Amino acid sequence: MVYHIPWIYVPVRSALAIWHQLTKSEIPELAKASVLMRDRSRVETTIQAMHRAGPDALQVISDFDMTLSRFAYNGTRCPTTHNILDNDLLINDACKKRIRELLNIYYPIEIDAACTVEEKLPHMVEWWTSVHELLIQQKIRKDLLALAVEQSSAMLREGYRVFFDHLQQQQVPLLIFSAGVGDILEEVIRQNHVFHPNIHVISNYMDFDQSGELQAFKGPLIHTFNKREGALLHAAHFRKLRERPNVLLLGDSLGDLTMADGLAHTQHTLTVGFLNDQVGERRESYINSYDIVLVKDETMDVPNAILNYIAPAPAK
Ligand code: TMP
Ligand code: MG
């Protein structure tokens, strides 16, 4: 129909072109070859709306393992929070062997593109439950956790300091929602000197007895594909942030997309997914699920550039 009313069509077209140009020049990182988007104009419209609303309307929700932490460094895999516990200080050889066997059985299921979430669910519960039982049998000592983290090769993604410091400076709340081990992820962040007061963590926390030995895990189990249920259980946290209807969500698993489900009311949500592994097999499902997909990108460059635009640091 626009064909008959060109005087409307033309200004709308050029306004859109200017809009697209603006985001392109403000966030050149989005033009990188590793950045994939199903609907670039939706991304741009969302970013513009979040930019107009500013930092006071924003909250960030992020997964931890392989999202805030690196997947690999110089071609070698970096450990998840569970894998950091694979240390002589904490567990014996038989336990290490069994935990590695479980990883080799269940990790391929976790990332299998041919398998539905419903099919994966019982396997994930089995994996987490078995590993947690093994760890409890080892009576892991609380006072050795910091040393195990120090000795590990865990790394936060390149550009992490800018990310954490920027959110703290702008007083934007950061919820870290992890199916990993809460005590360990806190320690990783602390040892990198970015555990700021704007951070809230939902994760699997260890429960130590009076002598400091692991006796259980606290609360309901969180695994990669039940974050929705976990989010609903933490409704009180989300209620406190109801004045912040805009969400930047970062994850590396499709299960991470449910991390904001505890929010009763959102206005604009932008989801960014790190596609670290099995890229060919999972590319399509990631593009269909996340607004922005970052392929084998070990940096925080894109989230940082987006944040710099929607919640800019005050001019000095
Ligand atoms: P995330 O929610 O912070 O990403 O943490 C979950 C990751 O932990 C998930 O990708 C699988 C991984 N994991 C291990 O590496 N080893 C284990 O023993 C278990 C149970 C999970
Ligand atoms: Mg993860």
Side-chain angles (χ1 to χ4, degrees):
M1 284 307 107
V2 286
Y3 181 73
H4 299 292
I5 43 171
W7 58 91
I8 292 179
Y9 173 68
V10 170
V12 169
R13 275 286 301 259
S14 43
L16 272 176
I18 291 164
W19 201 325
H20 286 203
Q21 247 349 90
L22 180 67
T23 311
K24 221 173 186 175
S25 57
E26 296 292 346
I27 311 181
E29 287 78 0
L30 289 177
K32 286 196 332 190
S34 54
V35 178
L36 308 176
M37 286 177 249
R38 170 185 74 254
D39 185 349
R40 184 176 286 269
S41 75
R42 193 196 102 80
V43 167
E44 294 183 348
T45 311
T46 305
I47 290 176
Q48 291 294 357
M50 290 167 88
H51 167 74
R52 283 194 300 276
D56 294 347
L58 179 68
Q59 56 178 303
V60 177
I61 302 180
S62 180
D63 168 54
F64 184 76
D65 287 306
M66 312 294 115
T67 295
L68 292 178
S69 68
R70 288 184 76 119
F71 179 76
Y73 182 64
N74 282 343
T76 306
R77 280 292 303 267
C78 293
T80 60
T81 48
H82 279 97
N83 295 344
I84 290 172
L85 298 168
D86 184 339
N87 182 313
D88 289 333
L89 286 171
L90 306 176
I91 62 176
N92 64 27
D93 284 350
C95 178
K96 278 185 177 185
K97 184 167 173 279
R98 185 66 194 133
I99 285 180
R100 286 178 200 175
E101 281 166 5
L102 291 169
L103 181 75
N104 291 334
I105 296 169
Y106 292 108
Y107 177 65
I109 301 176
E110 184 194 350
I111 63 164
D112 188 348
C115 201
T116 66
V117 168
E118 286 68 33
E119 288 166 337
K120 291 177 187 194
L121 274 173
H123 299 286
M124 296 302 105
V125 175
E126 244 167 56
W127 184 16
W128 260 258
T129 311
S130 313
V131 168
H132 287 187
E133 274 167 14
L134 286 164
L135 295 173
I136 292 163
Q137 280 164 20
Q138 295 295 302
K139 299 185 189 302
I140 286 179
R141 292 180 51 93
K142 184 179 168 65
D143 58 357
L144 294 176
L145 294 184
L147 190 54
V149 170
E150 252 175 74
Q151 292 181 353
S152 77
S153 54
M155 288 174 84
L156 296 175
R157 273 183 202 275
E158 198 183 312
Y160 74 87
R161 188 174 298 283
V162 171
F163 175 80
F164 282 94
D165 289 354
H166 185 92
L167 291 178
Q168 165 62 12
Q169 277 157 13
Q170 295 303 91
Q171 304 203 350
V172 173
L174 167 61
L175 169 65
I176 299 177
F177 197 153
S178 167
V181 182
D183 311 69
I184 300 293
L185 80 81
E186 279 197 15
E187 192 55 37
V188 173
I189 299 173
R190 220 174 276 124
Q191 290 189 13
N192 283 285
H193 311 288
V194 285
F195 199 87
H196 299 315
N198 63 325
I199 297 178
H200 181 84
V201 181
I202 300 177
S203 186
N204 299 304
Y205 276 91
M206 292 172 150
D207 187 10
F208 296 95
D209 65 16
Q210 284 190 337
S211 65
E213 287 180 348
L214 181 63
Q215 60 177 4
F217 276 82
K218 294 178 188 168
L221 175 75
I222 303 171
H223 59 73
T224 335
F225 294 107
N226 73 349
K227 289 192 175 180
R228 180 183 154 73
E229 289 75 8
L232 295 175
L233 283 174
H234 288 82
H237 167 79
F238 289 103
R239 251 197 316 276
K240 277 191 283 179
L241 299 182
R242 64 176 172 263
E243 304 300 324
R244 295 175 175 271
N246 296 340
V247 180
L248 175 65
L249 182 149
L250 311 177
D252 77 297
S253 155
L254 294 181
D256 294 330
L257 285 159
T258 64
M259 293 188 299
D261 285 8
L263 276 167
H265 170 66
T266 53
Q267 222 152 38
H268 302 288
T269 302
L270 186 71
T271 60
V272 179
F274 288 92
L275 179 49
N276 301 310
D277 203 4
Q278 299 263 312
V279 170
E281 295 83 342
R282 299 199 295 169
R283 189 185 149 101
E284 204 185 322
S285 59
Y286 272 61
I287 292 176
N288 287 333
S289 308
Y290 278 101
D291 296 319
I292 299 175
V293 178
L294 305 177
V295 180
K296 288 199 176 290
D297 178 353
E298 292 290 351
T299 76
M300 293 299 283
D301 290 354
V302 169
N304 283 344
I306 293 171
L307 279 172
N308 203 31
Y309 185 61
I310 60 182
K316 284 187 185 148

